[in-house]
Amino acid sequence: MELPDLHAIQLNPQRNLQTQIHQHIVEWICSGRLPATTKLPSSRQLAQDLGVSRNTICLVFDQLKSEGFIETYQGKGVYVATELPVRDLSAASPQSKTIQALPTVSKFAQSLQKDTFTDTTLPLPFTLGIPDLSAFPTKIWQQIQRLHHNRVSLMGYDSYRGFKPLRQAIAAYLRLSRGVHCDAEQIIITQGAQQAISLCAQILLDEDDTVFLENPGYLGARQALRSNSIQPVPLRDQCVDVDFLYQSKGKLLYATPTHQYPLGGVLSAGQRLKLIDWAASQQAWIIEDDYDSEFYFNHKPITALQGMTESNTVIYLGSFSKTLFPALRVGYLVVPKQLIDVFAQAKSFMTGESPLLNQAVISDFITEGHFTRHLRKMRKLYKQKWLHFDQLIHEKLFGIATPIAESAGMHLVIEIPNIDDKKLQQHLLQNGFGGSELSRYYIGDAEKTGLVLGFANTTETQRVKCVELIQAYLT
C-alpha cells in the first residue's frame, strides 16, 4: 500500500512544531484528505520527511490516538481510525477556509440543474434499448477479439472519422440493406447515437435556430438539442405530421421515419418524398435516426430517406447498441461529402478518436457474415417475444389498456387512458421491472398515457409477471 505524502505540511519554525503537525493531520483527516483506514508513515519516516525530532512525532501520534483520530497495530503500523470522532474543523484548524459560492455556470448547465438526474441505468427486464444479451454470439466475438488483442497498430491513433475497414463495412451494409447512397469516406464513427446527435447540433445549428422534434419523441434527441429553440411536431397515424412542417419554419428536423419512437409508426414512401421536398424548399436539415430498422417482423422496411434523394439535406444516423450490445458505445453518421472534413474536425475537438479495438472487431464481425446471421436470428426471436407479449396484453388487459403494436422493433407501447403512468411505472420498478411512462416522451401536456416496455431482454415468465402486475394495479 502506497503511503500518503505528508511533505506538503508546511511548518513555521517560530511556532510550536507539535501543535502545528497535530493541527495539520487533524484537518487532513476531517476534510477527507486522509480517509479512514489510511496507513500513515512511521514516526521515524515522518520525522525525517518533516525535518523534526522523532520524539515530536511520537507525542503527536499519542495525542491523535487519545483523541480517537488514529489507531496503532503492533507490527502493522499507524492507521487513520475507522470511526472518527465528531470534531469542529474550524476550531481545530486556524487555516481552514471559508467555502465560497461557485462562479456562475452557463444557461445550459442551469437548465440541467433543474432536472432530476440518475447516473445509473439498471438493465432490468423491460428496460428500453437493451437487446437479448444472452443470445449474443459471445464465443465468436471473443475469438475475433483475441485475433486483434495484440495488434500494435490498434494501440495508437488512426483517423477521427473512424477505422477505415469498419467504415467500408458499414457503407457496404447500408447500401445493400437500407438503400443508403454513401461510400466509406462519408461514414463518421461516433461514441454512440447520442454523440452523433450532439455532433450534428454543433455543426448544423446556431443557438437561435429552431429545431423540430416529433411529439412524442426520443428523449435523447431532446436532451442533445435542448440548447436550441425546440418546436414539437405532432404525429399523424403515429408518424411525423409532414403537413404541419409545411406551416412552420425551422433549421432542422430530427425524425425516426422507419419506426417512430416510441409509438412505432412507419412513414409511407409518399410521405417520405413529401418530407424530402419540405427540407429542400426550407433549406432545412433532416437527421434520420434509423435506430432499429433491422428488426422488422413482417415486411422489409421502406428505403431510408437518405437513399430516396440526391440532395444533401438528410444525415443518416445508426448505432450498434441494439444490434450488438450497448456497452460498445459505437454509432455512425452518413454525412454529405462537402462536410466530411468539418465533421471529422468537430469530432476531434469533442472526443478525439474512437477506440480502435472495438472498431476492428465490429469490422470483422460484419465482413465475415456474423452480423447478418445474428440479425436474422434476433429478428425471429424478437418476433416471438412480441407476439407473446401482445397476446398477453390483449387477453389480460382487454378493455383497460390497448397495445400500440407495430410489427417491428424491441419495445411495445401500451396506451392506458386517464392513468398516472409515472406511479404505475414506479410500481413496476418496485417489483423489479424497468420500462418508462408514455407521458414522459411528450413535450408539454401528454396526449396519451401508458407504458413503454422493452420486451427484447425478457423471458416468457417475466412477460407474464409484468402483465399480471399491471392488471392487478389497474383493477
Side-chain angles (χ1 to χ4, degrees), residues 213-219 233-241 254-267 272 289-293 404 406 408-413 438 441-442 448 452:
L213 294 181
E214 298 167 328
N215 191 33
Y218 178 49
L219 289 171
V233 182
L235 304 185
R236 178 186 295 178
D237 299 326
Q238 297 165 197
C239 298
V240 62
D241 186 343
Y254 168 88
T256 52
T258 301
H259 188 222
Q260 199 281 329
Y261 194 93
L263 295 186
V266 179
L267 195 65
R272 288 173 190 239
D289 191 343
D290 216 21
Y291 69 97
D292 67 355
S293 63
I404 305 176
E406 295 292 340
M410 295 167 52
H411 71 265
L412 190 145
V413 177
L438 177 57
Y441 296 88
Y442 283 89
K448 296 181 179 180
V452 185

mmCIF file of all heavy atoms in Angstrom, residues 213-219 233-241 254-267 272 289-293 404 406 408-413 438 441-442 448 452:
data_model
loop_
_atom_site.group_PDB
_atom_site.id
_atom_site.type_symbol
_atom_site.label_atom_id
_atom_site.label_comp_id
_atom_site.label_asym_id
_atom_site.label_seq_id
_atom_site.Cartn_x
_atom_site.Cartn_y
_atom_site.Cartn_z
ATOM 1 N N LEU A 213 -38.900 18.540 -33.385
ATOM 2 C CA LEU A 213 -38.821 17.209 -32.784
ATOM 3 C C LEU A 213 -40.196 16.569 -32.796
ATOM 4 O O LEU A 213 -41.197 17.230 -32.510
ATOM 5 C CB LEU A 213 -38.319 17.293 -31.338
ATOM 6 C CG LEU A 213 -36.888 17.779 -31.098
ATOM 7 C CD1 LEU A 213 -36.592 17.768 -29.609
ATOM 8 C CD2 LEU A 213 -35.887 16.899 -31.832
ATOM 9 N N GLU A 214 -40.250 15.273 -33.110
ATOM 10 C CA GLU A 214 -41.508 14.534 -33.052
ATOM 11 C C GLU A 214 -42.060 14.574 -31.631
ATOM 12 O O GLU A 214 -41.297 14.521 -30.655
ATOM 13 C CB GLU A 214 -41.274 13.077 -33.467
ATOM 14 C CG GLU A 214 -40.781 12.918 -34.894
ATOM 15 C CD GLU A 214 -40.267 11.511 -35.170
ATOM 16 O OE1 GLU A 214 -39.728 10.883 -34.243
ATOM 17 O OE2 GLU A 214 -40.390 11.053 -36.307
ATOM 18 N N ASN A 215 -43.372 14.675 -31.527
ATOM 19 C CA ASN A 215 -44.015 14.755 -30.211
ATOM 20 C C ASN A 215 -45.199 13.785 -30.136
ATOM 21 O O ASN A 215 -46.222 14.031 -30.781
ATOM 22 C CB ASN A 215 -44.488 16.181 -29.960
ATOM 23 C CG ASN A 215 -44.910 16.396 -28.523
ATOM 24 O OD1 ASN A 215 -44.352 15.800 -27.607
ATOM 25 N ND2 ASN A 215 -45.901 17.240 -28.297
ATOM 26 N N PRO A 216 -45.062 12.680 -29.382
ATOM 27 C CA PRO A 216 -43.939 12.297 -28.526
ATOM 28 C C PRO A 216 -42.728 11.866 -29.352
ATOM 29 O O PRO A 216 -42.873 11.514 -30.518
ATOM 30 C CB PRO A 216 -44.502 11.121 -27.719
ATOM 31 C CG PRO A 216 -45.487 10.487 -28.649
ATOM 32 C CD PRO A 216 -46.130 11.640 -29.366
ATOM 33 N N GLY A 217 -41.579 11.878 -28.704
ATOM 34 C CA GLY A 217 -40.367 11.524 -29.427
ATOM 35 C C GLY A 217 -39.244 11.101 -28.503
ATOM 36 O O GLY A 217 -39.395 11.007 -27.287
ATOM 37 N N TYR A 218 -38.099 10.877 -29.120
ATOM 38 C CA TYR A 218 -36.931 10.331 -28.425
ATOM 39 C C TYR A 218 -36.340 11.355 -27.452
ATOM 40 O O TYR A 218 -35.977 12.464 -27.837
ATOM 41 C CB TYR A 218 -35.891 9.914 -29.457
ATOM 42 C CG TYR A 218 -34.602 9.383 -28.901
ATOM 43 C CD1 TYR A 218 -34.593 8.397 -27.911
ATOM 44 C CD2 TYR A 218 -33.381 9.853 -29.363
ATOM 45 C CE1 TYR A 218 -33.407 7.905 -27.403
ATOM 46 C CE2 TYR A 218 -32.185 9.371 -28.867
ATOM 47 C CZ TYR A 218 -32.207 8.401 -27.881
ATOM 48 O OH TYR A 218 -31.021 7.922 -27.384
ATOM 49 N N LEU A 219 -36.248 10.970 -26.185
ATOM 50 C CA LEU A 219 -35.751 11.873 -25.147
ATOM 51 C C LEU A 219 -34.290 12.252 -25.373
ATOM 52 O O LEU A 219 -33.876 13.376 -25.085
ATOM 53 C CB LEU A 219 -35.903 11.216 -23.770
ATOM 54 C CG LEU A 219 -37.329 11.070 -23.238
ATOM 55 C CD1 LEU A 219 -37.329 10.215 -21.988
ATOM 56 C CD2 LEU A 219 -37.930 12.430 -22.950
ATOM 57 N N VAL A 233 -43.475 18.661 -33.071
ATOM 58 C CA VAL A 233 -44.262 18.347 -34.257
ATOM 59 C C VAL A 233 -45.224 17.215 -33.904
ATOM 60 O O VAL A 233 -44.780 16.141 -33.480
ATOM 61 C CB VAL A 233 -43.368 17.908 -35.434
ATOM 62 C CG1 VAL A 233 -44.217 17.625 -36.678
ATOM 63 C CG2 VAL A 233 -42.326 18.971 -35.729
ATOM 64 N N PRO A 234 -46.524 17.408 -34.044
ATOM 65 C CA PRO A 234 -47.468 16.343 -33.710
ATOM 66 C C PRO A 234 -47.349 15.170 -34.683
ATOM 67 O O PRO A 234 -46.753 15.294 -35.764
ATOM 68 C CB PRO A 234 -48.829 17.031 -33.841
ATOM 69 C CG PRO A 234 -48.592 18.143 -34.809
ATOM 70 C CD PRO A 234 -47.193 18.618 -34.564
ATOM 71 N N LEU A 235 -47.915 14.062 -34.268
ATOM 72 C CA LEU A 235 -47.919 12.870 -35.114
ATOM 73 C C LEU A 235 -49.269 12.717 -35.804
ATOM 74 O O LEU A 235 -50.295 13.152 -35.293
ATOM 75 C CB LEU A 235 -47.627 11.617 -34.289
ATOM 76 C CG LEU A 235 -46.334 11.588 -33.465
ATOM 77 C CD1 LEU A 235 -46.164 10.230 -32.821
ATOM 78 C CD2 LEU A 235 -45.125 11.954 -34.306
ATOM 79 N N ARG A 236 -49.241 12.084 -36.968
ATOM 80 C CA ARG A 236 -50.462 11.690 -37.661
ATOM 81 C C ARG A 236 -50.295 10.223 -38.035
ATOM 82 O O ARG A 236 -49.327 9.849 -38.690
ATOM 83 C CB ARG A 236 -50.682 12.532 -38.920
ATOM 84 C CG ARG A 236 -51.929 12.119 -39.720
ATOM 85 C CD ARG A 236 -52.017 12.869 -41.022
ATOM 86 N NE ARG A 236 -52.223 14.306 -40.808
ATOM 87 C CZ ARG A 236 -52.302 15.178 -41.815
ATOM 88 N NH1 ARG A 236 -52.164 14.774 -43.065
ATOM 89 N NH2 ARG A 236 -52.495 16.457 -41.544
ATOM 90 N N ASP A 237 -51.225 9.397 -37.600
ATOM 91 C CA ASP A 237 -51.117 7.948 -37.799
ATOM 92 C C ASP A 237 -49.801 7.429 -37.233
ATOM 93 O O ASP A 237 -49.130 6.580 -37.833
ATOM 94 C CB ASP A 237 -51.243 7.585 -39.280
ATOM 95 C CG ASP A 237 -52.587 7.985 -39.873
ATOM 96 O OD1 ASP A 237 -53.587 7.919 -39.129
ATOM 97 O OD2 ASP A 237 -52.632 8.382 -41.046
ATOM 98 N N GLN A 238 -49.421 7.985 -36.089
ATOM 99 C CA GLN A 238 -48.222 7.555 -35.349
ATOM 100 C C GLN A 238 -46.921 7.827 -36.092
ATOM 101 O O GLN A 238 -45.893 7.190 -35.834
ATOM 102 C CB GLN A 238 -48.331 6.077 -34.956
ATOM 103 C CG GLN A 238 -49.490 5.811 -34.021
ATOM 104 C CD GLN A 238 -49.837 4.345 -33.896
ATOM 105 O OE1 GLN A 238 -50.916 4.000 -33.447
ATOM 106 N NE2 GLN A 238 -48.925 3.468 -34.283
ATOM 107 N N CYS A 239 -46.958 8.786 -37.019
ATOM 108 C CA CYS A 239 -45.765 9.219 -37.754
ATOM 109 C C CYS A 239 -45.708 10.744 -37.729
ATOM 110 O O CYS A 239 -46.707 11.408 -37.470
ATOM 111 C CB CYS A 239 -45.810 8.736 -39.210
ATOM 112 S SG CYS A 239 -45.825 6.950 -39.418
ATOM 113 N N VAL A 240 -44.555 11.291 -38.044
ATOM 114 C CA VAL A 240 -44.408 12.740 -38.065
ATOM 115 C C VAL A 240 -45.406 13.347 -39.052
ATOM 116 O O VAL A 240 -45.595 12.844 -40.165
ATOM 117 C CB VAL A 240 -42.957 13.131 -38.419
ATOM 118 C CG1 VAL A 240 -42.552 12.650 -39.810
ATOM 119 C CG2 VAL A 240 -42.756 14.632 -38.288
ATOM 120 N N ASP A 241 -46.075 14.406 -38.641
ATOM 121 C CA ASP A 241 -47.073 15.075 -39.472
ATOM 122 C C ASP A 241 -46.343 16.031 -40.428
ATOM 123 O O ASP A 241 -45.963 17.139 -40.061
ATOM 124 C CB ASP A 241 -48.054 15.849 -38.581
ATOM 125 C CG ASP A 241 -49.211 16.441 -39.364
ATOM 126 O OD1 ASP A 241 -49.107 16.539 -40.607
ATOM 127 O OD2 ASP A 241 -50.222 16.818 -38.737
ATOM 128 N N TYR A 254 -35.343 16.371 -36.433
ATOM 129 C CA TYR A 254 -34.887 15.043 -36.011
ATOM 130 C C TYR A 254 -36.093 14.110 -36.121
ATOM 131 O O TYR A 254 -37.159 14.387 -35.549
ATOM 132 C CB TYR A 254 -34.362 15.056 -34.573
ATOM 133 C CG TYR A 254 -34.161 13.662 -34.013
ATOM 134 C CD1 TYR A 254 -32.958 12.984 -34.199
ATOM 135 C CD2 TYR A 254 -35.193 13.006 -33.345
ATOM 136 C CE1 TYR A 254 -32.787 11.696 -33.717
ATOM 137 C CE2 TYR A 254 -35.019 11.721 -32.857
ATOM 138 C CZ TYR A 254 -33.822 11.072 -33.051
ATOM 139 O OH TYR A 254 -33.660 9.799 -32.578
ATOM 140 N N ALA A 255 -35.950 12.998 -36.866
ATOM 141 C CA ALA A 255 -37.093 12.120 -37.113
ATOM 142 C C ALA A 255 -36.679 10.652 -37.100
ATOM 143 O O ALA A 255 -35.521 10.298 -37.360
ATOM 144 C CB ALA A 255 -37.742 12.461 -38.457
ATOM 145 N N THR A 256 -37.664 9.807 -36.798
ATOM 146 C CA THR A 256 -37.477 8.347 -36.820
ATOM 147 C C THR A 256 -38.527 7.760 -37.766
ATOM 148 O O THR A 256 -39.492 7.144 -37.331
ATOM 149 C CB THR A 256 -37.628 7.764 -35.404
ATOM 150 O OG1 THR A 256 -38.883 8.221 -34.839
ATOM 151 C CG2 THR A 256 -36.496 8.203 -34.499
ATOM 152 N N PRO A 257 -38.371 7.945 -39.086
ATOM 153 C CA PRO A 257 -39.422 7.605 -40.047
ATOM 154 C C PRO A 257 -39.678 6.119 -40.233
ATOM 155 O O PRO A 257 -40.792 5.720 -40.587
ATOM 156 C CB PRO A 257 -38.931 8.240 -41.353
ATOM 157 C CG PRO A 257 -37.446 8.329 -41.192
ATOM 158 C CD PRO A 257 -37.210 8.568 -39.737
ATOM 159 N N THR A 258 -38.685 5.279 -39.994
ATOM 160 C CA THR A 258 -38.869 3.851 -40.237
ATOM 161 C C THR A 258 -39.543 3.136 -39.074
ATOM 162 O O THR A 258 -40.176 2.103 -39.258
ATOM 163 C CB THR A 258 -37.505 3.202 -40.562
ATOM 164 O OG1 THR A 258 -36.970 3.842 -41.717
ATOM 165 C CG2 THR A 258 -37.649 1.720 -40.859
ATOM 166 N N HIS A 259 -39.429 3.681 -37.871
ATOM 167 C CA HIS A 259 -40.099 3.105 -36.703
ATOM 168 C C HIS A 259 -40.176 4.213 -35.662
ATOM 169 O O HIS A 259 -39.295 4.341 -34.820
ATOM 170 C CB HIS A 259 -39.315 1.895 -36.176
ATOM 171 C CG HIS A 259 -40.026 1.134 -35.103
ATOM 172 N ND1 HIS A 259 -39.386 0.652 -33.987
ATOM 173 C CD2 HIS A 259 -41.327 0.775 -34.971
ATOM 174 C CE1 HIS A 259 -40.266 0.024 -33.206
ATOM 175 N NE2 HIS A 259 -41.437 0.085 -33.804
ATOM 176 N N GLN A 260 -41.234 5.017 -35.747
ATOM 177 C CA GLN A 260 -41.327 6.209 -34.909
ATOM 178 C C GLN A 260 -41.133 5.860 -33.433
ATOM 179 O O GLN A 260 -41.706 4.897 -32.923
ATOM 180 C CB GLN A 260 -42.696 6.884 -35.107
ATOM 181 C CG GLN A 260 -42.749 8.338 -34.653
ATOM 182 C CD GLN A 260 -42.901 8.515 -33.150
ATOM 183 O OE1 GLN A 260 -43.513 7.703 -32.470
ATOM 184 N NE2 GLN A 260 -42.335 9.599 -32.610
ATOM 185 N N TYR A 261 -40.295 6.659 -32.777
ATOM 186 C CA TYR A 261 -40.017 6.395 -31.368
ATOM 187 C C TYR A 261 -40.787 7.390 -30.501
ATOM 188 O O TYR A 261 -40.617 8.594 -30.660
ATOM 189 C CB TYR A 261 -38.514 6.548 -31.092
ATOM 190 C CG TYR A 261 -38.106 5.983 -29.760
ATOM 191 C CD1 TYR A 261 -37.657 4.675 -29.663
ATOM 192 C CD2 TYR A 261 -38.196 6.736 -28.599
ATOM 193 C CE1 TYR A 261 -37.289 4.147 -28.440
ATOM 194 C CE2 TYR A 261 -37.847 6.210 -27.376
ATOM 195 C CZ TYR A 261 -37.381 4.914 -27.301
ATOM 196 O OH TYR A 261 -37.035 4.385 -26.083
ATOM 197 N N PRO A 262 -41.690 6.895 -29.616
ATOM 198 C CA PRO A 262 -41.856 5.484 -29.236
ATOM 199 C C PRO A 262 -43.065 4.766 -29.848
ATOM 200 O O PRO A 262 -43.213 3.574 -29.653
ATOM 201 C CB PRO A 262 -42.064 5.600 -27.728
ATOM 202 C CG PRO A 262 -42.845 6.877 -27.586
ATOM 203 C CD PRO A 262 -42.336 7.805 -28.645
ATOM 204 N N LEU A 263 -43.951 5.459 -30.586
ATOM 205 C CA LEU A 263 -45.239 4.867 -30.958
ATOM 206 C C LEU A 263 -45.156 3.860 -32.093
ATOM 207 O O LEU A 263 -46.097 3.093 -32.306
ATOM 208 C CB LEU A 263 -46.247 5.965 -31.296
ATOM 209 C CG LEU A 263 -46.633 6.885 -30.129
ATOM 210 C CD1 LEU A 263 -47.739 7.840 -30.550
ATOM 211 C CD2 LEU A 263 -47.074 6.080 -28.917
ATOM 212 N N GLY A 264 -44.068 3.867 -32.865
ATOM 213 C CA GLY A 264 -43.836 2.763 -33.791
ATOM 214 C C GLY A 264 -44.377 2.914 -35.190
ATOM 215 O O GLY A 264 -44.314 1.968 -35.974
ATOM 216 N N GLY A 265 -44.932 4.074 -35.562
ATOM 217 C CA GLY A 265 -45.455 4.245 -36.906
ATOM 218 C C GLY A 265 -44.374 4.214 -37.970
ATOM 219 O O GLY A 265 -43.218 4.552 -37.722
ATOM 220 N N VAL A 266 -44.759 3.797 -39.194
ATOM 221 C CA VAL A 266 -43.834 3.731 -40.326
ATOM 222 C C VAL A 266 -44.290 4.748 -41.372
ATOM 223 O O VAL A 266 -45.394 4.645 -41.903
ATOM 224 C CB VAL A 266 -43.794 2.322 -40.937
ATOM 225 C CG1 VAL A 266 -42.834 2.281 -42.121
ATOM 226 C CG2 VAL A 266 -43.382 1.289 -39.886
ATOM 227 N N LEU A 267 -43.453 5.731 -41.660
ATOM 228 C CA LEU A 267 -43.795 6.775 -42.616
ATOM 229 C C LEU A 267 -43.817 6.185 -44.025
ATOM 230 O O LEU A 267 -42.855 5.544 -44.450
ATOM 231 C CB LEU A 267 -42.778 7.913 -42.528
ATOM 232 C CG LEU A 267 -43.167 9.234 -43.182
ATOM 233 C CD1 LEU A 267 -44.367 9.863 -42.461
ATOM 234 C CD2 LEU A 267 -41.981 10.202 -43.163
ATOM 235 N N ARG A 272 -42.575 10.264 -47.238
ATOM 236 C CA ARG A 272 -41.124 10.466 -47.183
ATOM 237 C C ARG A 272 -40.673 11.418 -48.284
ATOM 238 O O ARG A 272 -39.852 12.319 -48.052
ATOM 239 C CB ARG A 272 -40.395 9.126 -47.311
ATOM 240 C CG ARG A 272 -40.520 8.244 -46.080
ATOM 241 C CD ARG A 272 -39.927 6.860 -46.308
ATOM 242 N NE ARG A 272 -40.276 5.997 -45.184
ATOM 243 C CZ ARG A 272 -39.383 5.385 -44.401
ATOM 244 N NH1 ARG A 272 -38.106 5.508 -44.627
ATOM 245 N NH2 ARG A 272 -39.777 4.645 -43.393
ATOM 246 N N ASP A 289 -32.846 9.097 -37.888
ATOM 247 C CA ASP A 289 -32.381 8.096 -36.928
ATOM 248 C C ASP A 289 -33.037 6.764 -37.265
ATOM 249 O O ASP A 289 -34.230 6.572 -37.059
ATOM 250 C CB ASP A 289 -32.733 8.525 -35.499
ATOM 251 C CG ASP A 289 -32.048 7.658 -34.451
ATOM 252 O OD1 ASP A 289 -31.585 6.553 -34.801
ATOM 253 O OD2 ASP A 289 -31.990 8.069 -33.282
ATOM 254 N N ASP A 290 -32.245 5.849 -37.790
ATOM 255 C CA ASP A 290 -32.748 4.535 -38.218
ATOM 256 C C ASP A 290 -32.424 3.509 -37.134
ATOM 257 O O ASP A 290 -31.783 2.497 -37.380
ATOM 258 C CB ASP A 290 -32.081 4.147 -39.539
ATOM 259 C CG ASP A 290 -33.004 3.391 -40.473
ATOM 260 O OD1 ASP A 290 -34.221 3.504 -40.310
ATOM 261 O OD2 ASP A 290 -32.496 2.697 -41.366
ATOM 262 N N TYR A 291 -32.884 3.782 -35.915
ATOM 263 C CA TYR A 291 -32.348 3.143 -34.716
ATOM 264 C C TYR A 291 -32.575 1.641 -34.610
ATOM 265 O O TYR A 291 -31.808 0.938 -33.968
ATOM 266 C CB TYR A 291 -32.877 3.843 -33.462
ATOM 267 C CG TYR A 291 -34.368 3.643 -33.214
ATOM 268 C CD1 TYR A 291 -34.817 2.677 -32.337
ATOM 269 C CD2 TYR A 291 -35.298 4.423 -33.867
ATOM 270 C CE1 TYR A 291 -36.167 2.486 -32.115
ATOM 271 C CE2 TYR A 291 -36.649 4.253 -33.649
ATOM 272 C CZ TYR A 291 -37.088 3.280 -32.776
ATOM 273 O OH TYR A 291 -38.423 3.087 -32.565
ATOM 274 N N ASP A 292 -33.660 1.101 -35.196
ATOM 275 C CA ASP A 292 -33.831 -0.361 -35.114
ATOM 276 C C ASP A 292 -34.538 -0.921 -36.349
ATOM 277 O O ASP A 292 -35.348 -1.838 -36.254
ATOM 278 C CB ASP A 292 -34.554 -0.786 -33.833
ATOM 279 C CG ASP A 292 -36.003 -0.335 -33.789
ATOM 280 O OD1 ASP A 292 -36.422 0.392 -34.704
ATOM 281 O OD2 ASP A 292 -36.711 -0.709 -32.827
ATOM 282 N N SER A 293 -34.196 -0.380 -37.513
ATOM 283 C CA SER A 293 -34.843 -0.830 -38.750
ATOM 284 C C SER A 293 -34.544 -2.296 -39.057
ATOM 285 O O SER A 293 -35.264 -2.932 -39.832
ATOM 286 C CB SER A 293 -34.378 0.036 -39.921
ATOM 287 O OG SER A 293 -32.980 -0.108 -40.133
ATOM 288 N N ILE A 404 -50.195 -0.522 -28.617
ATOM 289 C CA ILE A 404 -49.930 0.123 -29.910
ATOM 290 C C ILE A 404 -48.821 -0.702 -30.540
ATOM 291 O O ILE A 404 -47.638 -0.447 -30.336
ATOM 292 C CB ILE A 404 -49.523 1.594 -29.722
ATOM 293 C CG1 ILE A 404 -50.594 2.336 -28.921
ATOM 294 C CG2 ILE A 404 -49.299 2.279 -31.060
ATOM 295 C CD1 ILE A 404 -50.241 3.773 -28.595
ATOM 296 N N GLU A 406 -46.887 -2.063 -33.456
ATOM 297 C CA GLU A 406 -46.373 -2.135 -34.813
ATOM 298 C C GLU A 406 -45.453 -3.351 -34.902
ATOM 299 O O GLU A 406 -44.789 -3.719 -33.938
ATOM 300 C CB GLU A 406 -45.591 -0.856 -35.155
ATOM 301 C CG GLU A 406 -46.453 0.397 -35.175
ATOM 302 C CD GLU A 406 -47.455 0.425 -36.313
ATOM 303 O OE1 GLU A 406 -47.255 -0.309 -37.298
ATOM 304 O OE2 GLU A 406 -48.434 1.173 -36.204
ATOM 305 N N ALA A 408 -42.527 -4.379 -35.537
ATOM 306 C CA ALA A 408 -41.091 -4.128 -35.651
ATOM 307 C C ALA A 408 -40.566 -3.684 -34.301
ATOM 308 O O ALA A 408 -41.322 -3.305 -33.412
ATOM 309 C CB ALA A 408 -40.811 -3.055 -36.707
ATOM 310 N N GLY A 409 -39.241 -3.740 -34.150
ATOM 311 C CA GLY A 409 -38.589 -3.126 -33.004
ATOM 312 C C GLY A 409 -38.396 -4.017 -31.806
ATOM 313 O O GLY A 409 -38.591 -5.226 -31.843
ATOM 314 N N MET A 410 -38.018 -3.369 -30.684
ATOM 315 C CA MET A 410 -37.661 -4.055 -29.454
ATOM 316 C C MET A 410 -38.505 -3.601 -28.275
ATOM 317 O O MET A 410 -38.263 -3.998 -27.161
ATOM 318 C CB MET A 410 -36.180 -3.797 -29.143
ATOM 319 C CG MET A 410 -35.219 -4.384 -30.150
ATOM 320 S SD MET A 410 -33.529 -3.753 -29.963
ATOM 321 C CE MET A 410 -33.208 -4.018 -28.234
ATOM 322 N N HIS A 411 -39.499 -2.747 -28.519
ATOM 323 C CA HIS A 411 -40.354 -2.302 -27.424
ATOM 324 C C HIS A 411 -41.807 -2.268 -27.878
ATOM 325 O O HIS A 411 -42.105 -2.306 -29.078
ATOM 326 C CB HIS A 411 -39.919 -0.927 -26.916
ATOM 327 C CG HIS A 411 -40.217 0.197 -27.858
ATOM 328 N ND1 HIS A 411 -39.296 0.676 -28.765
ATOM 329 C CD2 HIS A 411 -41.339 0.949 -28.051
ATOM 330 C CE1 HIS A 411 -39.824 1.661 -29.466
ATOM 331 N NE2 HIS A 411 -41.075 1.851 -29.050
ATOM 332 N N LEU A 412 -42.688 -2.193 -26.918
ATOM 333 C CA LEU A 412 -44.120 -2.137 -27.198
ATOM 334 C C LEU A 412 -44.738 -1.067 -26.309
ATOM 335 O O LEU A 412 -44.389 -0.946 -25.136
ATOM 336 C CB LEU A 412 -44.763 -3.501 -26.937
ATOM 337 C CG LEU A 412 -46.212 -3.692 -27.389
ATOM 338 C CD1 LEU A 412 -46.413 -5.129 -27.873
ATOM 339 C CD2 LEU A 412 -47.177 -3.412 -26.248
ATOM 340 N N VAL A 413 -45.645 -0.290 -26.888
ATOM 341 C CA VAL A 413 -46.326 0.774 -26.154
ATOM 342 C C VAL A 413 -47.719 0.306 -25.768
ATOM 343 O O VAL A 413 -48.451 -0.259 -26.593
ATOM 344 C CB VAL A 413 -46.423 2.055 -27.006
ATOM 345 C CG1 VAL A 413 -47.207 3.132 -26.260
ATOM 346 C CG2 VAL A 413 -45.035 2.569 -27.357
ATOM 347 N N LEU A 438 -45.329 6.547 -20.713
ATOM 348 C CA LEU A 438 -45.524 7.125 -22.035
ATOM 349 C C LEU A 438 -45.560 8.641 -21.983
ATOM 350 O O LEU A 438 -45.050 9.318 -22.895
ATOM 351 C CB LEU A 438 -46.831 6.578 -22.639
ATOM 352 C CG LEU A 438 -47.243 7.122 -24.006
ATOM 353 C CD1 LEU A 438 -46.149 6.904 -25.046
ATOM 354 C CD2 LEU A 438 -48.541 6.460 -24.455
ATOM 355 N N TYR A 441 -42.530 11.112 -22.830
ATOM 356 C CA TYR A 441 -41.984 11.377 -24.160
ATOM 357 C C TYR A 441 -42.615 12.590 -24.832
ATOM 358 O O TYR A 441 -42.209 12.962 -25.919
ATOM 359 C CB TYR A 441 -42.152 10.132 -25.047
ATOM 360 C CG TYR A 441 -41.356 8.968 -24.531
ATOM 361 C CD1 TYR A 441 -41.893 8.082 -23.601
ATOM 362 C CD2 TYR A 441 -40.037 8.764 -24.928
ATOM 363 C CE1 TYR A 441 -41.155 7.024 -23.103
ATOM 364 C CE2 TYR A 441 -39.288 7.721 -24.438
ATOM 365 C CZ TYR A 441 -39.854 6.856 -23.514
ATOM 366 O OH TYR A 441 -39.111 5.815 -23.011
ATOM 367 N N TYR A 442 -43.584 13.191 -24.170
ATOM 368 C CA TYR A 442 -44.255 14.351 -24.739
ATOM 369 C C TYR A 442 -43.572 15.645 -24.313
ATOM 370 O O TYR A 442 -43.094 15.766 -23.187
ATOM 371 C CB TYR A 442 -45.726 14.391 -24.306
ATOM 372 C CG TYR A 442 -46.605 13.416 -25.048
ATOM 373 C CD1 TYR A 442 -46.783 12.108 -24.588
ATOM 374 C CD2 TYR A 442 -47.264 13.798 -26.213
ATOM 375 C CE1 TYR A 442 -47.589 11.211 -25.264
ATOM 376 C CE2 TYR A 442 -48.079 12.908 -26.891
ATOM 377 C CZ TYR A 442 -48.241 11.615 -26.427
ATOM 378 O OH TYR A 442 -49.033 10.730 -27.100
ATOM 379 N N LYS A 448 -51.392 11.178 -24.541
ATOM 380 C CA LYS A 448 -51.676 9.793 -24.190
ATOM 381 C C LYS A 448 -50.873 9.423 -22.952
ATOM 382 O O LYS A 448 -49.789 9.962 -22.711
ATOM 383 C CB LYS A 448 -51.309 8.843 -25.345
ATOM 384 C CG LYS A 448 -52.128 9.053 -26.604
ATOM 385 C CD LYS A 448 -51.712 8.066 -27.690
ATOM 386 C CE LYS A 448 -52.543 8.268 -28.947
ATOM 387 N NZ LYS A 448 -52.165 7.316 -30.024
ATOM 388 N N VAL A 452 -44.167 2.331 -21.896
ATOM 389 C CA VAL A 452 -43.292 1.924 -22.997
ATOM 390 C C VAL A 452 -42.370 0.855 -22.418
ATOM 391 O O VAL A 452 -41.577 1.134 -21.516
ATOM 392 C CB VAL A 452 -42.472 3.107 -23.545
ATOM 393 C CG1 VAL A 452 -41.669 2.673 -24.768
ATOM 394 C CG2 VAL A 452 -43.384 4.272 -23.901
#
